[in-house]
Amino acid sequence: MPKWAMVIDLDKCTGCDACAVACKMENNVPIADPAEAQSGRAMFWMDMMTTTEGAFPNTVTKRVPKPCFHCDDPPCTLVCPVGATYRNPEGLVAQIYHRCIGCRYCMAACPFTAKVYNWYDPKWIDGAEVGNPDVSRRMVGVVEKCSFCSHRLMSVKETAHREDRPIMDGEYVPACAESCPAEAIVFGDIENEESRVYRLSRSYRVMRYGEDLGVKPKVYYLSRRTET
Amino acid sequence: MPKLRPTTRKLVLLGTIGGIILIAGYFKVFLHSDLRQPIQYNHKIHIESAGMTCVDCHESVLVSASATIPRLEICTSCHSGEPISDSPEEPKLLKFVADGNEIPWQRVYSVPDHVYFSHQRHVTDGRIECATCHGNIPDFTQPVTSTFMPVMMESCMDCHRLNGVTNDCLACHR
């Protein structure tokens, strides 16, 4: 059984936001109107964490792309009263929207604020109503989050099964990894010792957020800087 | 039970009956299906007499997620110009053909958009007979207006369990 994981190389990342845009388009993530976004209700599955340090003009801006970390020991699944979020055998932390009752316990439990809530029915800009038919539209009152583009896994699995072979490294990639112009995002099976993700996750540059929490995130960051 | 005047009692009775009818109507207790197909299509004749198979009309069933409801073009490959049977339904079809309008077939089986269902995966890969879910269509002399197997998660999960297929939510939900 593969275990899907992601490596984000911050030394390569230019903070261009292509991953965040690709993710929004791929997963039909609603675009909040400016007033809602101001009140902290902007919805991102791939969120660009931005911090600015120093005083003008000597400022340093740091940008770190943050998807759901698909923890191996996820705290969000423990608190869900209805089993709408769970960790599947392949290590994906799933969110089943039609089971979700919108209590937002999981959002409170997630140390990385990876989950977002649908405060109102999504409004689509003209021409974007159709969206990606491979991903369902979420309705008001449910929590959603990055799925590692699990709908892509469905079709990859089908093809591999039909051709009677295992899934090859790099065959299943989420939209963010696919769109990254700097190729900073690498995705694959971390239990396959020949995969790029396996190799990169053993780099001396590797770090994970929330290492002290014991939740075992499956998104690894690479950076030469000691603190990110 | 407090003592009511006869008129009030009648009103209460009428109200109760009306309420039951409304609720039953809402849940379609008495109605099996309110679907009506534009042509009283006879599957049996097409399969037995014309020697056709499911794939001849539902052409994508083996190669894509959707089995597809036949296009008018598929009908016109046999039915064009003169009627080839004495069925009273054929003139209706020929009218659609003459006007060049697609037949407004009513869709009977559909899954909600948060469910991924692929015919190819079930029929080509899983080798499941059409009849398992759709019933013995070759015996249908009337068009399909209701589902043979209810399109519900229980039906899917029961079959998956019996055949040792994964019941992981993410295998079907998206």
Side-chain angles (χ1 to χ4, degrees):
Chain A
M1 190 70 76
K3 200 195 257 182
W4 305 107
M6 184 184 278
V7 172
I8 302 177
D9 192 334
L10 297 176
D11 293 336
K12 282 185 178 175
C13 174
T14 61
C16 71
D17 264 326
C19 51
V21 174
C23 172
K24 275 228 171 210
M25 298 315 291
E26 176 77 16
N27 293 299
N28 303 332
V29 183
I31 296 163
D33 61 47
E36 294 286 349
Q38 278 297 314
S39 63
R41 292 176 181 180
M43 296 173 83
F44 287 102
W45 284 13
M46 173 60 105
D47 195 4
M48 195 60 86
M49 293 193 287
T50 307
T51 51
T52 308
E53 289 168 9
F56 184 80
N58 302 314
T59 53
V60 175
T61 301
K62 290 177 184 170
R63 309 205 78 197
V64 178
K66 184 201 68 181
C68 167
F69 291 162
H70 291 263
C71 308
D72 254 349
D73 224 341
C76 56
T77 61
L78 296 178
V79 296
C80 181
V82 290
T85 182
Y86 74 101
R87 182 188 172 281
N88 92 342
E90 292 178 51
L92 299 176
V93 177
Q95 187 86 23
I96 307 299
Y97 312 115
H98 278 248
R99 182 154 282 199
C100 176
I101 55 169
C103 69
R104 292 179 281 137
Y105 282 4
C106 58
M107 287 176 73
C110 176
F112 312 111
T113 57
K115 299 200 169 194
V116 284
Y117 183 66
N118 284 276
W119 288 95
Y120 45 85
D121 263 324
K123 295 181 212 101
W124 305 101
I125 51 173
D126 287 344
E129 297 91 355
V130 180
N132 182 358
D134 290 338
V135 181
S136 65
R137 299 292 183 93
R138 280 76 58 184
M139 65 302 282
V140 63
V142 301
V143 174
E144 59 181 62
K145 68 164 192 75
C146 158
S147 62
F148 269 176
C149 287
S150 62
H151 56 283
R152 290 186 171 205
L153 177 60
M154 285 185 200
S155 60
V156 167
K157 265 188 187 165
E158 250 180 72
T159 316
H161 173 79
R162 212 159 285 141
E163 291 166 8
D164 199 18
R165 57 169 174 82
I167 297 170
M168 290 180 294
D169 189 34
E171 195 179 2
Y172 162 41
V173 283
C176 52
E178 193 178 64
S179 67
C180 181
E183 294 180 11
I185 305 178
V186 178
F187 188 82
D189 175 10
I190 201 153
E191 297 205 328
N192 173 5
E193 294 188 8
E194 267 139 45
S195 73
R196 280 182 73 200
V197 159
Y198 177 85
R199 212 156 15 91
L200 289 172
S201 71
R202 270 146 186 79
S203 158
Y204 71 94
R205 295 183 292 151
V206 83
M207 61 81 65
R208 286 191 294 180
Y209 281 101
E211 199 88 77
D212 51 335
L213 299 172
V215 293
K216 301 180 198 139
K218 282 201 295 299
V219 174
Y220 298 78
Y221 287 93
L222 301 181
S223 177
R224 281 212 168 76
R225 303 189 197 184
T226 44
E227 38 103 35
T228 24
Chain B
M1 189 86 181
K3 211 171 175 196
L4 296 170
R5 281 189 308 176
T7 14
T8 321
R9 219 182 295 164
K10 258 184 217 159
L11 273 176
V12 169
L13 192 69
L14 273 176
T16 317
I17 293 170
I20 290 171
I21 291 173
L22 274 178
I23 291 167
Y26 182 74
F27 290 106
K28 292 183 186 160
V29 173
F30 303 129
L31 297 166
H32 284 296
S33 164
D34 48 3
L35 269 181
R36 237 191 111 69
Q37 298 290 5
I39 294 174
Q40 296 301 299
Y41 180 84
N42 185 334
H43 274 97
K44 189 177 171 129
I45 275 201
H46 284 86
I47 293 166
E48 279 185 4
S49 309
M52 295 168 76
T53 59
C54 308
V55 192
D56 291 339
C57 298
H58 303 281
E59 17 174 43
S60 303
V61 69
L62 297 175
V63 291
S64 96
S66 162
T68 59
I69 294 168
R71 293 166 285 131
L72 186 67
E73 222 172 86
I74 294 172
C75 308
T76 55
S77 59
C78 296
H79 301 271
S80 52
E82 291 303 304
I84 52 173
S85 73
D86 46 12
S87 160
E89 295 299 315
E90 201 181 349
K92 289 189 197 167
L93 167 67
L94 292 175
K95 186 165 184 331
F96 282 113
V97 175
D99 297 347
N101 292 334
E102 285 294 336
I103 306 165
W105 295 114
Q106 300 290 311
R107 190 173 176 154
V108 179
Y109 293 89
S110 62
V111 289
D113 82 331
H114 58 280
V115 176
Y116 172 73
F117 175 85
S118 164
H119 274 95
Q120 183 181 23
R121 197 166 192 179
H122 285 83
V123 183
T124 313
D125 305 343
R127 307 210 169 280
I128 295 171
E129 295 293 324
C130 306
T132 312
C133 303
H134 296 290
N136 196 14
I137 298 270
D139 275 349
F140 282 24
T141 52
Q142 292 294 308
V144 181
T145 52
S146 59
T147 53
F148 171 75
M149 190 181 71
V151 186
M152 295 178 84
M153 198 167 79
E154 283 92 331
S155 322
C156 304
M157 289 185 75
D158 284 347
C159 190
H160 274 213
R161 199 175 297 121
L162 283 174
N163 291 292
V165 183
T166 174
N167 259 338
D168 181 29
C169 309
L170 274 192
C172 306
H173 286 284
R174 56 187 181 184

